[in-house]
Amino acid sequence: PPNFSGTWNMVSNENFERYMQSLDIDIFTRNLAKFVKPQKVIEQDGDNFVIRTLSNIRNYRVQFTLGREFDEDLKGLDNRKCKSVVTCDNGRLVCVQKGEKKNRGWIHWLDGDHLHLELRCEDQVCRQVYRRV
Ligand code: RET
């Protein structure tokens, strides 16, 4: 896989509101979250990743090895649990999050000094772009 390591600041966030709605995130959290510009801190050692999403209201940390299914506890997001697996496909990190919600997952890829993140749940797609700090 390419090297995703580093600190990244959000520069754009498209359709986040409807993505959060598809996860049944409550209105109070949604109203705070829509103003949030999270920072991603990615530590990568070969196929091993730790990805932190940092914000004023909540932080989220996920750790995985490419190709190995893990139990993901989405505490602080929608509080569901998923069986998740991340693989590398043509330089993109592709995560499938199996659980109560259909068509759930995300894709990360690099483009120069930008990090792209596409988040999916049911029929919603949220597109985020981050820039290297
Ligand atoms: C915030 C603020 C509180 C409400 C919600 C959030 C969403 C976080 C998301 C994180 C995705 C992380 C990924 C990590 C792996 O690369 C910003 C914490 C809903 C959607 C995809």
Side-chain angles (χ1 to χ4, degrees):
N3 184 18
F4 289 81
S5 291
T7 302
W8 307 83
N9 284 346
M10 180 181 269
V11 292
S12 66
N13 190 4
E14 202 182 286
N15 207 40
F16 189 46
E17 170 67 14
R18 279 187 290 177
Y19 172 76
M20 289 191 290
Q21 280 178 22
S22 72
L23 290 172
D24 310 306
I25 292 177
D26 64 87
I27 181 106
F28 179 79
T29 305
R30 294 206 312 271
N31 282 340
L32 294 174
K34 67 185 172 196
F35 297 112
V36 150
K37 290 208 182 289
Q39 189 173 62
K40 294 267 178 206
V41 179
I42 304 181
E43 290 174 77
Q44 179 183 354
D45 178 12
D47 286 356
N48 302 311
F49 290 77
V50 177
I51 302 184
R52 290 187 178 79
T53 304
L54 306 175
S55 82
N56 293 334
I57 57 168
R58 238 161 258 177
N59 298 324
Y60 182 69
R61 177 187 185 278
V62 63
Q63 179 167 14
F64 55 85
T65 300
L66 293 182
R68 279 207 207 150
E69 191 176 71
F70 62 101
D71 293 307
E72 185 172 13
D73 184 351
L74 291 124
K75 205 170 157 67
L77 304 191
D78 64 322
N79 299 314
R80 288 189 178 83
K81 289 183 181 167
C82 289
K83 292 275 183 199
S84 302
V85 65
V86 186
T87 52
C88 187
D89 176 32
N90 279 304
R92 298 173 157 215
L93 294 184
V94 180
C95 178
V96 176
Q97 295 169 311
K98 268 189 291 171
E100 192 185 328
K101 291 289 178 179
K102 298 290 167 226
N103 193 34
R104 183 171 185 175
W106 50 259
I107 304 177
H108 263 309
W109 70 93
L110 297 170
D111 170 25
D113 63 350
H114 289 106
L115 171 71
H116 293 257
L117 173 60
E118 207 171 85
L119 296 149
R120 299 174 176 274
C121 181
E122 297 179 326
D123 58 346
Q124 296 302 321
V125 182
C126 168
R127 292 187 172 83
Q128 303 184 340
V129 182
Y130 294 78
R131 182 177 286 131
R132 200 183 272 286
V133 178

